[in-house]
Amino acid sequence: MADIETLKQENRIFNPPAEFVGNATISGMEAYQAMCAKAEQDYEGFWATLANENIQWKKPFTKTLNESNAPFYKWFEDGQLNVSYNCLDRNLQNGNAGKTAVIFESDDGKSTRVTYQELHDKVCQFANGLKSLGIKRGDRVVIYMPMSVEGIAAMQACARIGATHSVVFGGFSAKSLQERIIDAGAVAVITADEQVRGGKQLPLKAIVDEAIAMGGCEHLKNVVIYQRTGANINFVEGRDRWMKDVVANQASTCEPEWVDAEHPLFILYTSGSTGKPKGVQHASGGYLLWAMLTMKWTFDIKPEDVFWCTADIGWVTGHTYIAYGPLAVGATQIVFEGVPTYPNAGRFWDMIARHKATIFYTAPTAIRSLIKAADADAAVHPKQYDLSSLRLLGSVGEPINPEAWMWYYRNIGNEKCPVVDTFWQTETGGHMITPLPGATPMVPGSCTLPLPGIMTAVVDETGNDLPNGQGGILVVKRPWPSMIRTIWNDPERFKKSYFPEELGGKIYLAGDGAVRNETTGYFTITGRIDDVLNVSGHRMGTMEIESALVANPLVAEAAVVGKPDETTGESICAFVVLKRSRPTGDEAKQIAKELRDWVGKEIGPIAKPKEIRFGDNLPKTRSGKIMRRLLRVLAKGEQITQDVSTLENPAILDQLKQAQ
Ligand code: WTA
């Protein structure tokens, strides 16, 4: 993470190109400010107009915002709609039936095109198939799928029949999957035999079997399997079905299930600072509205654009900016099955050139690793590829350091594409703070200003506004349509995590620190203020990893901290005390490897600690509290200069300096 002092001094400013401004949906700062002023003057009226203009309602709403049970806000609550209808049928009515909705490129480089008509038909057949299995409105369906047209169709099919989906990232382990199936009370899992990434075939169905075998999934009646590779799988009669059989003979039209605007569209699990992952629940109407508006405002989407968001559907970015947003605005988008480094690190650039992508949206981690790759091998340097189709670049998921921003701006955007550094979260449903490409002067490393209608502020612990220049905590002062509605099964945790009493109970606490520039008022995100790590743009709780470690029979105690990492932003460093004596040398290396694999099994490979250090104990205060701030310093390899007088056992600091 870039340190605040350097960011505060960042004074390079890049104005959006005049031509871009001229054609932009929100053109120029005055237009932006006028929209913000409108929202200030008549908040509900602002949102009501947009919701009427953008969504095709089955039954129009009469009430915009209901705050009577805050912080359980309701938006457009007496309106009725169907999200899939808005994403698909509307495009058939708008003359987009023959337009390409998805350009799908498989891991091995083959591409196929799917039109809006074809996608509509596929989704309807699948929706009818799900209904034939008895899946209905309000049921929860877990989706554990590779990046594929079928994965998107599965999400859309759930939306069509009013089932609430919960997509679980294909990199999560059987245990993580089982926990999510149980917490969501899912009646079905939609999966594939295998996924293909970087030339490797990786099991999915076998992991589903393992998850179910762990028990507790009695509510689960069906497993639907998309055949991706044709690998042999274990097939449980009566429970398992091939997707092709489920859709066979199904009609290619399906009357949508009209749901209330507040009907839960999806649950997506994400990490918090304590306990197990939380099921972030989103509503239908407000979420759809913001997916559409941010496609229009932040991405300035135009009918002829070829949009490419490189996220996975297992994360929120893949929900809003692959499965819903692009379809709801009738865009053509690229969907990619593979990884940026296969067959070589020029894959992204090659794909942009071949498919003539115009908008490219990726994570700083990918950018940083591709910078390294381009430095090491001129053959995969972006200058070898024709990237002239690009007109807009985006960044998401973690802070982008100014140097990576500059490289992206110069080498990928050729200094003619605005870069939108979009700050948002699983809980916010869509972008919150971001430059507008045809309006906002950009500063590398700053996500600049909130979107119109989004009332962000930097406050102190008691909720008082802080002056610009002073770092504090990031909050949102008014509810907005695409906000999290609750944590599935845990409304109390929802209130405590996001609307704490200390801030008055009505202000949304983002969990990030922020500072505003003294002159411009621009926001810079300074990183999480809780125990959440961001590794390669993936959110993980230190507690989750600690619990996984202590579940291993060898481990007595563990503490996990983040360490700044040049490529992944942060990396995971675990301090471990074993029940036996402290291992050293090869034995320590061996046990460290075992523990890493263990965490991979407990949570998923993304949670494996990069470093494991063993000690006879952890640094603790006399009252037994682990001193994490010292562990953070040790992880960085820096000298401890802080006061250690409250430390019970200073001698163990030396032991913990060494990584295994
Ligand atoms: C971080 C991803 C700085 C932040 C959409 C947030 C960012 C967490 C940015 C949410 C950005 C996301 N600049 N930090 N542009 N975007 N973050 O839920 O810490 O996976 O709280 O949503 O990522 O991660 P999540």
Side-chain angles (χ1 to χ4, degrees), residues 129-385:
L130 293 177
K131 282 206 281 194
S132 75
L133 299 177
I135 300 168
K136 55 183 191 310
R137 176 201 288 248
D139 284 345
R140 275 82 58 211
V141 174
V142 162
I143 298 177
Y144 189 61
M145 292 276 278
M147 284 301 290
S148 52
V149 176
E150 287 69 20
I152 297 168
M155 295 164 78
Q156 286 282 342
C158 287
R160 192 152 194 108
I161 64 171
T164 300
H165 62 68
S166 184
V167 184
V168 177
F169 174 60
F172 277 119
S173 68
K175 177 114 188 293
S176 298
L177 179 61
Q178 179 227 19
E179 285 167 2
R180 287 158 173 76
I181 293 171
I182 294 175
D183 191 75
V187 300
V189 174
I190 304 170
T191 188
D193 49 359
E194 293 187 313
Q195 57 179 331
V196 188
R197 288 166 65 81
K200 293 196 202 84
Q201 291 181 208
L202 305 160
L204 285 174
K205 171 60 168 56
I207 296 175
V208 173
D209 290 339
E210 213 186 307
I212 298 170
M214 288 174 171
C217 305
E218 289 70 31
H219 38 76
L220 186 84
K221 299 286 179 271
N222 290 286
V223 175
V224 180
I225 313 147
Y226 161 59
Q227 194 170 32
R228 167 63 186 89
T229 64
N232 266 334
I233 54 149
N234 163 44
F235 197 89
V236 180
E237 288 301 334
R239 185 198 73 186
D240 295 357
R241 318 183 193 281
W242 291 109
M243 189 183 276
K244 59 175 189 286
D245 296 335
V246 172
V247 301
N249 307 317
Q250 296 293 350
S252 56
T253 54
C254 171
E255 175 67 12
E257 195 69 32
W258 304 107
V259 297
D260 292 342
E262 282 296 313
H263 182 74
L265 178 64
F266 66 86
I267 304 165
L268 183 58
Y269 287 85
T270 190
S271 295
S273 45
T274 53
K276 54 183 183 116
K278 23 190 192 189
V280 172
Q281 183 188 315
H282 278 287
S284 300
Y287 173 81
L288 175 68
L289 175 63
W290 201 226
M292 295 183 74
L293 289 175
T294 50
M295 284 300 299
K296 293 179 183 182
W297 295 353
T298 314
F299 291 129
D300 190 51
I301 195 84
K302 298 279 189 329
E304 53 291 349
D305 272 316
V306 177
F307 178 80
W308 185 15
C309 164
T310 68
D312 191 286
I313 51 166
W315 308 115
V316 74
T317 310
H319 280 60
T320 312
Y321 301 109
I322 296 178
Y324 291 109
L327 301 178
V329 297
T332 294
Q333 69 172 323
I334 298 171
V335 173
F336 178 40
E337 180 180 45
V339 298
T341 48
Y342 179 83
N344 60 47
R347 182 70 181 262
F348 275 179
W349 322 136
D350 184 44
M351 282 181 62
I352 291 170
R354 277 189 289 110
H355 299 302
K356 302 207 167 16
T358 58
I359 304 174
F360 181 64
Y361 188 40
T362 197
T365 292
I367 299 167
R368 288 191 296 262
S369 69
L370 296 175
I371 295 175
K372 262 200 196 161
D375 285 348
D377 178 4
V380 296
H381 194 281
K383 67 177 176 241
Q384 309 288 352
Y385 302 85

Side-chain angles (χ1 to χ4, degrees), residues 270 315-317 361 395-400 421-427 433 447 510-512 525-528 534 537-539:
T270 190
W315 308 115
V316 74
T317 310
Y361 188 40
S395 169
V396 60
E398 45 177 326
I400 179 163
D421 174 3
T422 60
F423 167 83
W424 60 296
Q425 309 174 298
T426 304
E427 294 86 344
I433 312 180
C447 50
D512 282 286
I525 306 298
T526 54
R528 298 288 306 193
N534 194 326
H538 299 157
R539 244 171 97 168

Side-chain angles (χ1 to χ4, degrees), residues 578-598:
L578 297 181
K579 288 178 186 158
R580 44 152 285 177
S581 60
R582 178 169 65 95
T584 53
D586 284 347
E587 199 189 10
K589 286 205 172 67
Q590 175 56 32
I591 299 178
K593 183 180 177 301
E594 269 173 43
L595 293 181
R596 247 179 234 124
D597 291 345
W598 171 272

Side-chain angles (χ1 to χ4, degrees), residues 469-486:
Q470 211 166 310
I473 55 186
L474 181 67
V475 296
V476 188
K477 291 196 158 173
R478 298 282 285 133
W480 67 102
S482 69
M483 67 193 297
I484 174 176
R485 293 304 194 266
T486 188

